[in-house]
Amino acid sequence: MKASPTLTNNMQAVLTDLIELHIQGKQAHWNIVGTNFRDLHLQLDEIVDAARAFADDIAERMRALHALPDGRSATVAKATHLPQFPDGLINTKDAIDRIVAALEAAVGTMRKVHDEVDEEDPTTADLLHTFIEKLEQYAWMVGAENMKASASVTHPDVK
């Protein structure tokens, strides 16, 4: 099978966002400060590792379909759908919000292209399913750091 221009463009959009997610995750990893630093520092490495692996998976899928992946920095900077990450030190609360936004933006791109991808190549759509599942899990787990509980549980023995 040879990827159509539409499938190629859709896979390239996913690749671009995954590369940018990896870069932003490292930027946050190096520059976070504040409460729960160590936990977030380690979580960011997990996200970075996943984004790098997923980028490699989609790029290699592109090659298997005779499409040419473009992971050059100028291409990524021009085409990413992720909001720009700030320079300098960033406190953990703000970093969490920004990383969750980046994860959600990357997933948003995948969901946007999913149906066209699935129509032409269900195998590539299966990759997207895997990526979406894991990135949404990371968004939930990282985002939980800033969430407020909506209910309090009282135990009859606790006063």
Side-chain angles (χ1 to χ4, degrees):
M1 176 182 164
K2 186 173 182 177
S4 71
T6 298
L7 180 57
T8 298
N9 291 338
N10 285 336
M11 288 189 294
Q12 179 63 43
V14 170
L15 175 62
T16 298
D17 282 358
L18 287 169
I19 293 169
E20 180 66 14
L21 181 60
H22 156 251
I23 292 167
Q24 287 193 20
K26 271 315 212 185
Q27 183 68 20
H29 174 86
W30 296 321
N31 293 296
I32 56 168
V33 294
T35 306
N36 294 329
F37 160 82
R38 188 170 193 287
D39 289 339
L40 183 56
H41 187 77
L42 296 174
Q43 277 185 311
L44 288 167
D45 267 344
E46 291 177 27
I47 293 167
V48 165
D49 290 346
R52 286 179 68 188
F54 295 163
D56 192 53
D57 289 345
I58 198 73
E60 289 181 358
R61 183 69 187 151
M62 290 176 77
R63 290 303 299 131
L65 299 177
H66 308 282
L68 299 176
D70 187 351
R72 296 173 299 161
S73 58
T75 300
V76 173
K78 180 180 175 185
T80 186
H81 300 97
L82 277 61
Q84 186 173 7
F85 200 85
D87 64 347
L89 295 177
I90 184 168
N91 70 50
T92 52
K93 183 181 182 324
D94 292 339
I96 287 165
D97 290 343
R98 288 183 178 273
I99 289 300
V100 169
L103 287 160
E104 290 174 346
V107 167
T109 296
M110 292 174 203
R111 288 188 176 281
K112 180 180 176 188
V113 304
H114 176 273
D115 289 349
E116 285 183 340
V117 169
D118 192 38
E119 188 175 306
E120 184 171 343
D121 183 34
T123 302
T124 301
D126 286 347
L127 283 177
L128 296 182
H129 298 156
T130 300
F131 302 166
I132 290 167
E133 178 186 16
K134 192 63 178 176
L135 297 180
E136 286 180 337
Q137 182 184 34
Y138 282 133
W140 158 58
M141 294 179 96
V142 172
E145 290 279 344
N146 285 349
M147 287 182 182
K148 303 281 188 239
S150 60
S152 61
V153 177
T154 57
H155 188 278
D157 296 333
V158 177
K159 297 195 187 219

